[in-house]
Amino acid sequence: MPIVNSTRRISPLDINKNVSIGVAFPLDEVNMFKGTQTLKEQVKANLINLLLTQPGERINEPNFGVGLKHYLFEQNVDIDSLNTLINEQINIYIPEISLMDTIVDFLDDENKVYLTISYRFNLDGATDALTTTFE
């Protein structure tokens, strides 16, 4: 008799590969009709959408969004308050994940933001990271 040390929980949405869960980003000719196939892909797309949406941009959700593009040309950005804002937004709007770490680095001379977000999926406990550059 085999001994099972751990169990792996699979979302029922991930089983059928012929069904798209949500919209894949960026919206271009490749992703327009493709969609996201797994829950993890959709959570990552939701996270990117949350980071890039300006507060007040989404109808009926005036507090939704971090608005990272707003911070690109700012002279003095309080990184601690930005980390707090990202953490609050994820806790409110993406409850499927738990934030583990956020690293924000600005290059003032080049107007770039390097952002690394490490998070854990609440469904199966797997960890993932989103590392991206915003220009």
Side-chain angles (χ1 to χ4, degrees), residues 1-8:
M1 176 186 291
I3 298 173
V4 177
N5 292 332
S6 66
T7 59
R8 183 173 164 225

Side-chain angles (χ1 to χ4, degrees), residues 81-100:
S81 66
L82 182 59
N83 282 333
T84 303
L85 176 64
I86 292 170
N87 191 9
E88 289 172 356
Q89 291 285 315
I90 288 174
N91 288 337
I92 293 170
Y93 294 106
I94 310 179
E96 296 88 7
I97 62 174
S98 297
L99 189 65
M100 294 173 59

Side-chain angles (χ1 to χ4, degrees), residues 83 86 90 98-103 116-120 130:
N83 282 333
I86 292 170
I90 288 174
S98 297
L99 189 65
M100 294 173 59
D101 190 22
T102 305
I103 301 169
T116 302
I117 296 177
S118 300
Y119 53 91
R120 182 175 51 84
L130 171 69

Side-chain angles (χ1 to χ4, degrees), residues 23-38:
V23 178
F25 292 104
L27 288 176
D28 56 10
E29 60 273 353
V30 175
N31 290 331
M32 185 62 73
F33 300 104
K34 180 180 172 192
T36 55
Q37 303 298 320
T38 65

Side-chain angles (χ1 to χ4, degrees), residues 1-129:
M1 176 186 291
I3 298 173
V4 177
N5 292 332
S6 66
T7 59
R8 183 173 164 225
R9 295 172 56 190
I10 299 173
S11 172
L13 298 173
D14 293 344
I15 294 173
N16 189 354
K17 296 298 180 191
N18 295 326
V19 176
S20 294
I21 296 173
V23 178
F25 292 104
L27 288 176
D28 56 10
E29 60 273 353
V30 175
N31 290 331
M32 185 62 73
F33 300 104
K34 180 180 172 192
T36 55
Q37 303 298 320
T38 65
L39 187 63
K40 291 181 180 184
E41 289 176 356
Q42 185 58 42
V43 166
K44 191 173 275 191
N46 290 346
L47 185 56
I48 292 171
N49 188 21
L50 179 73
L51 294 172
L52 294 178
T53 302
Q54 294 286 350
E57 181 179 353
R58 191 170 209 182
I59 297 173
N60 295 329
E61 288 287 347
N63 297 324
F64 180 86
V66 175
L68 277 182
K69 289 186 179 181
H70 170 73
Y71 293 99
L72 284 178
F73 298 101
E74 293 293 322
Q75 294 296 323
N76 297 318
V77 176
D78 185 11
I79 294 178
D80 292 332
S81 66
L82 182 59
N83 282 333
T84 303
L85 176 64
I86 292 170
N87 191 9
E88 289 172 356
Q89 291 285 315
I90 288 174
N91 288 337
I92 293 170
Y93 294 106
I94 310 179
E96 296 88 7
I97 62 174
S98 297
L99 189 65
M100 294 173 59
D101 190 22
T102 305
I103 301 169
V104 180
D105 189 24
F106 285 92
L107 291 179
D108 294 330
D109 298 339
E110 300 176 16
N111 294 325
K112 290 184 180 179
V113 177
Y114 291 100
L115 178 65
T116 302
I117 296 177
S118 300
Y119 53 91
R120 182 175 51 84
F121 290 95
N122 294 334
L123 179 67
D124 61 0
T127 58
D128 201 357

